[in-house]
Amino acid sequence: MARWRWNRVERGCAAVMEVAVIYPFYLAGLFYVLAREDGHRFIDVAFARGQIPVLVAVTAGALGLLALGLFLRTRRPDSLLFQHITANYFGFSLVWAGYVTGTLNFAAGVVLMGAAITGYIVLERRVILAAFVTAFTTVLGLNIATGVGWLPYAPAIVPPTDSSTLLFWIHAAFFLAGPHVLFCLAATAVMVVQWRRREARVLRLSMTDGLTGLHNRRSILDILYRQTARAGEQGSPLAVALVDLDHFKAINDTHGHQVGDRVLVEAARALASKLEQPAAVGRFGGEEFLVVLPGLSREETGRLVEDCRHGLASLEIRSGDGKPVWIRGSFGVAWHGGGAGVDGDALLRAGDAALYRAKELGRDRVESMAPVAGGPGGETGRGSEPLEKARHIRAEAREHLDTGAGPVPGFRGWLRRGIVGIQQWSQEAMTSLMLGLTALQLVGFLGWGLYVLGREDRERLINMAFLPDLIPVMLAVTGLMALLALVALMLDRQGIESGLYLHLTHNIYALTMVGAGYLVGVLSLPTGIILLASPLIGLIFYRPPLVIVSSCTAVAAVIGLAYASAVGWFPYAPLVPESLVHFRVAEPFWVLSYYLFIVPMLLVVLIIADVVLGAWRERGRHIRDLSITDALTRVHNRRNIMNILEGEAGHQRDGDAMLSLVLVDLDEFKAVNDERGHPTGDRVLRQAARVLAANVRDTDAVGRFGGEEFLLVLPRTSLAGALALAERCRAQLEETWIRDDLGREFCVSASFGVSGNESDPTLSVTQLLKSADEALYRAKEQGRNRVQAMAPAGPA
């Protein structure tokens, strides 16, 4: 059901696949009835036999379109025309099945609603809207035509005359509707589960460092500010420790970035192993980590941080040539006793200053410094609002859960924000809204009843013996719905969560909706719409157990009422005169009344499906972008740029073409972070990424390779061309000025290492990267802010 991964032709294939499966099922049912000796009592045998070639032709057409789709999927995968054809084929085939068995029956309602919702899941929005409008208009036209006598109503069905034929008609309705109900509910449930899992995954992606698996900078700051608020309210102590891996740049330069990545991963694992909840550690920069330590005394903080330092010092990993790589770290600690004066920003500044002192005093040591509120740098003067900062950070993370395409303007944007906002409500608040809307629906039904009572031909149109008894019952049920809505609202205001109350109200709602449908026919079009629409909406807004239990209650009630009416315990449609029951004739008054009942719910369901499922589709694309994009710089992340490089290297070997690489390292970036603060460092990274991305072609790729390193992958580019591009990027970076938090301007520069396979297309990715890394190291040695190239060494 990962719909966003299918191309247009594959989605079209999915649209006709149900037809290819359902119609043989219908054909088997038809043969079964025709084989019965008493089959003529239930169906028009002559008409039914004439439908056999139609059913075979529809099935063959679906299989033909499916075969065409399989042929086109690799040749014309973006054929929107094919998707339109299959969607309309799907719609018209189901419309025809509905017509021959009755367009006002239960199965027609199920198909009409189910096809629209599953269509939103599988097909593109404009395709399903066009197909649904066409199908709905056709059904309405058939209903009007049968109502005025232009066409026979349900030509395949013999109107039931006794309990046995009525029982057959009930079985036929369940037979026709059952597969659609199961498929639609299963498809929607799978879609909702996947959406929720992907939403949680997006939030994790936005708050987790991709390499180390620790909290990323945004997440660890969120934790810091939340703990700051708690320490201020409860008067509990709070400490932070900033950790910087010593000589990490030298490890990268000497042993390569793969070893550097292993060092970061092992260091992260060592730090995390020393901590217990609620302490937390996150990656704060390239080789920097931030540890948040709430609730510890000064002495306990010192012992724990020293233990972390020893844990790093005990690590030993091996480089590719077997040489040992030692890991050491410098620690800067800031501790506050809690209370009104605790300031997260002050703790960070003090920890950063203590870390700088540890570096000056020889590294691999722990230094402490007391925080001073309101000091320079960062977000000065806002430490008194730590919880607001945490909320702001969390809101930034949740922006990743949006569509990724920016705010939607106009009415549709307002509608989307409203529905998404409702999804954030408590279950009690949403239940209050549901019950309130149900009460309004019942008021509308009462208004319809009063209108009918005012008509002169009311004796012919409705069961007048039943209606007077119905009105007080409807008033009582309406009042009950309004009362339950108020109780749910009160529970929400008091913050009370009551699973028993929610189950009770949802089951009352289900029985009320089934009861309303029963009045006009337990297996009529409105009942089918209501039975399927309610759980489909419920799956979007409520917890699955609530929807499952209430849906089972509704299905049991429908089945029970259907069989009870078949054996004569209850009338089939107590509000409708016997002569006008829909499986006997399509009376124009009841056709219009049915549509009056179903159109509001149909519109609500379709609007929600359009907004919510459309947002899910866009979110799916956004999830993919998140998985391949660096959150800070918006260029490819390390994993994806390496995948691109591997793929391009394979293409170049196959085609004997050129491939060049450029490794970029921002000069003195560590000093920028230390002296001007990490927010300024982040601005430098973003600006550098923009300059690099603006200078490459569409076929090239730019990715963040490390903390302050970028990798440019340049297919079909000679070494001379790569050198020219690198020089152009270098010159533009040199002319780039950045303003820090104190308003001071400074310029940016970078060193470039270039390599290529122009001389030997068989060179591996490892050889190309190694030569680019060596060229970069040489540029650094020769004074930085320059471009160097090196021809890769071939295989030994």
Side-chain angles (χ1 to χ4, degrees):
M1 200 57 64
R3 177 227 178 270
W4 45 83
R5 296 180 182 174
W6 298 351
N7 62 45
R8 284 174 170 172
V9 170
E10 290 169 335
R11 296 170 197 161
C13 290
V16 294
M17 189 174 296
E18 186 180 358
V19 178
V21 173
I22 290 291
Y23 261 73
F25 180 73
Y26 290 166
L27 187 61
L30 179 59
F31 279 129
Y32 163 75
V33 179
L34 289 174
R36 292 182 53 157
E37 293 183 0
D38 58 348
H40 63 279
R41 298 177 57 212
F42 311 123
I43 63 174
D44 185 326
V45 175
F47 182 85
R49 285 175 177 165
Q51 290 302 299
I52 293 176
V54 176
L55 292 173
V56 173
V58 171
T59 304
L63 292 173
L65 284 173
L66 191 59
L68 177 61
L70 295 175
F71 174 78
L72 291 175
R73 61 190 292 268
T74 56
R75 292 165 175 80
R76 294 181 59 85
D78 288 325
S79 176
L80 189 63
L81 175 62
F82 178 79
Q83 195 176 135
H84 274 290
I85 292 172
T86 53
N88 281 279
Y89 189 87
F90 172 80
F92 279 117
S93 65
L94 294 181
V95 166
W96 177 253
Y99 166 68
V100 298
T101 58
T103 49
L104 292 178
N105 66 28
F106 175 77
V110 166
V111 170
L112 194 64
M113 179 60 67
I117 300 301
T118 52
Y120 267 110
I121 294 174
V122 176
L123 302 174
E124 293 188 20
R125 176 176 177 268
R126 50 185 165 175
V127 172
I128 187 57
L129 282 178
F132 176 78
V133 169
T134 302
F136 182 82
T137 305
T138 304
V139 171
L140 179 60
L142 288 171
N143 282 328
I144 293 173
T146 55
V148 298
W150 295 344
L151 293 172
Y153 179 77
I157 300 292
V158 174
T161 56
D162 52 31
S163 61
S164 63
T165 53
L166 178 59
L167 189 63
F168 169 83
W169 194 90
I170 290 171
H171 288 159
F174 287 142
F175 175 83
L176 295 170
H180 293 284
V181 172
L182 293 176
F183 177 79
C184 187
L185 290 178
T188 305
V190 169
M191 186 69 179
V192 169
V193 169
Q194 284 199 353
W195 169 72
R196 287 175 176 159
R197 288 178 179 173
R198 289 175 184 275
E199 183 180 59
R201 178 171 173 248
V202 173
L203 187 57
R204 287 196 301 272
L205 281 173
S206 66
M207 304 293 278
T208 304
D209 178 63
L211 177 63
T212 63
L214 300 178
H215 298 283
N216 63 11
R217 181 186 177 89
R218 180 190 294 117
S219 180
I220 195 64
L221 285 175
D222 174 34
I223 292 172
L224 170 63
Y225 291 128
R226 288 182 180 275
Q227 292 295 346
T228 300
R230 187 173 291 111
E233 293 171 357
Q234 301 177 358
S236 57
L238 177 64
V240 300
L242 277 167
V243 187
D244 190 284
L245 300 184
D246 296 332
H247 304 295
F248 181 76
K249 181 65 177 173
I251 294 175
N252 264 342
D253 292 342
T254 305
H255 302 288
H257 289 89
Q258 289 184 338
V259 175
D261 287 349
R262 287 171 53 201
V263 167
L264 289 170
V265 171
E266 292 299 326
R269 187 178 293 120
L271 292 171
S273 68
K274 302 295 182 181
L275 305 177
E276 296 181 358
Q277 290 287 345
V281 58
R283 190 176 178 191
F284 199 58
E287 66 270 24
E288 287 186 328
F289 300 89
L290 173 61
V291 184
V292 180
L293 302 169
L296 299 180
S297 66
R298 191 190 302 271
E299 293 74 19
E300 290 171 331
T301 299
R303 286 195 297 269
L304 181 57
V305 173
E306 192 64 40
D307 192 26
C308 289
R309 187 185 69 82
H310 284 298
L312 287 180
S314 66
L315 293 176
E316 178 185 348
I317 67 173
R318 298 280 175 176
S319 65
D321 54 6
K323 294 180 180 178
V325 179
W326 304 101
I327 303 176
R328 299 289 185 270
S330 300
F331 290 72
V333 180
W335 181 89
H336 193 285
V342 65
D343 185 333
D345 292 324
L347 285 169
L348 283 177
R349 290 192 297 270
D352 204 34
L355 174 62
Y356 190 71
R357 181 190 294 172
K359 291 284 189 181
E360 286 184 327
L361 295 176
R363 295 185 171 88
D364 189 21
R365 60 190 299 125
V366 177
E367 290 293 327
S368 299
M369 187 169 289
V372 178
E379 300 179 53
T380 306
R382 290 190 289 163
S384 60
E385 302 174 351
L387 192 56
E388 288 303 314
K389 288 187 176 184
R391 289 171 180 162
H392 175 69
I393 291 169
R394 180 66 58 169
E396 282 185 342
R398 285 200 172 273
E399 286 179 4
H400 292 287
L401 301 180
D402 204 351
T403 64
V408 179
F411 175 75
R412 190 161 178 259
W414 173 83
L415 195 62
R416 171 175 292 185
R417 290 190 295 274
I419 293 176
V420 171
I422 292 174
Q423 288 180 285
Q424 309 304 319
W425 290 5
S426 69
Q427 298 283 284
E428 288 76 16
M430 287 191 288
T431 299
S432 176
L433 177 63
M434 175 192 74
L435 296 172
L437 292 176
T438 305
L440 289 177
Q441 284 182 289
L442 295 177
V443 169
F445 191 82
L446 284 169
W448 171 86
L450 294 175
Y451 159 74
V452 177
L453 284 175
R455 291 183 55 142
E456 294 182 356
D457 57 350
R458 57 183 178 274
E459 297 285 350
R460 184 182 68 84
L461 298 176
I462 61 173
N463 186 351
M464 286 299 298
F466 179 77
L467 188 59
D469 296 331
L470 175 64
I471 291 178
V473 173
M474 294 296 294
L475 287 172
V477 173
T478 303
L480 177 62
M481 290 289 123
L483 178 62
L484 291 174
L486 289 174
V487 173
L489 188 60
M490 291 174 58
L491 291 175
D492 175 64
R493 293 289 178 87
Q494 297 296 324
I496 299 173
E497 296 182 2
S498 174
L500 178 62
Y501 178 81
L502 291 176
H503 277 288
L504 176 66
T505 52
H506 280 253
N507 280 278
I508 291 175
Y509 165 81
L511 293 174
T512 301
M513 290 292 97
V514 171
Y518 164 70
L519 295 176
V520 295
V522 68
L523 293 180
S524 63
L525 182 71
T527 308
I529 295 286
I530 291 170
L531 187 68
L532 198 54
S534 296
L536 291 178
I537 298 177
L539 285 170
I540 293 174
F541 291 103
Y542 296 101
R543 289 191 293 266
L546 283 174
V547 179
I548 292 171
V549 172
S550 58
S551 297
C552 290
T553 300
V555 170
V558 167
I559 294 174
L561 288 170
Y563 282 103
S565 64
V567 299
W569 294 349
F570 297 113
Y572 173 77
L575 196 58
V576 183
E578 183 69 15
S579 61
L580 299 184
V581 170
H582 67 81
F583 45 70
R584 292 184 171 86
V585 65
E587 162 65 34
F589 168 79
W590 280 106
V591 170
L592 296 177
S593 295
Y594 281 177
Y595 277 91
L596 178 67
F597 300 150
I598 68 172
V599 165
M601 178 167 282
L602 201 60
L603 287 175
V604 168
V605 173
L606 291 180
I607 289 172
I608 291 176
D610 183 34
V611 172
V612 176
L613 297 181
W616 290 351
R617 290 195 294 264
E618 294 175 9
R619 185 178 288 114
R621 291 190 290 269
H622 188 46
I623 287 171
R624 181 180 179 276
D625 291 340
L626 279 176
S627 67
I628 66 175
T629 304
D630 178 67
L632 176 64
T633 61
R634 309 309 300 167
V635 297
H636 296 288
N637 59 20
R638 169 72 177 264
R639 183 186 300 110
N640 196 52
I641 195 65
M642 288 301 296
N643 289 339
I644 292 173
L645 176 56
E646 293 282 357
E648 290 295 343
H651 293 325
Q652 309 314 318
R653 284 193 295 270
D654 295 340
D656 196 28
M658 294 179 292
L659 174 65
S660 295
L661 303 183
V662 179
L663 263 178
V664 186
D665 188 288
L666 299 181
D667 297 330
E668 307 292 353
F669 183 75
K670 175 66 175 170
V672 173
N673 269 341
D674 291 343
E675 298 172 10
R676 303 178 186 272
H678 289 90
T680 301
D682 289 349
R683 287 197 290 273
V684 170
L685 289 170
R686 285 192 291 265
Q687 185 59 35
R690 282 193 287 267
V691 169
L692 296 174
N695 280 280
V696 299
R697 304 166 300 178
D698 291 340
T699 55
D700 303 331
V702 180
R704 190 175 178 190
F705 198 62
E708 66 269 25
E709 291 183 324
F710 297 87
L711 174 64
L712 279 58
V713 179
L714 311 173
R716 296 179 296 281
T717 303
S718 65
L719 192 63
L723 282 168
L725 179 121
E727 180 58 35
R728 186 165 64 249
C729 292
R730 186 205 64 78
Q732 289 190 21
L733 281 174
E734 188 179 26
E735 296 173 356
T736 300
W737 289 81
I738 304 290
R739 188 185 299 273
D740 66 16
D741 290 338
L742 297 180
R744 300 170 298 181
E745 286 190 336
F746 64 98
C747 61
V748 178
S749 70
S751 301
F752 293 74
V754 182
S755 70
N757 68 351
E758 188 174 0
S759 60
D760 185 359
T762 65
L763 290 172
S764 67
V765 167
T766 302
Q767 291 166 329
L768 288 169
L769 280 173
K770 183 178 180 181
S771 60
D773 205 29
E774 291 173 353
L776 175 62
Y777 189 69
R778 181 181 298 174
K780 292 285 188 181
E781 283 185 325
Q782 294 181 1
R784 297 185 173 86
N785 191 23
R786 63 184 63 240
V787 176
Q788 288 290 329
M790 183 170 289

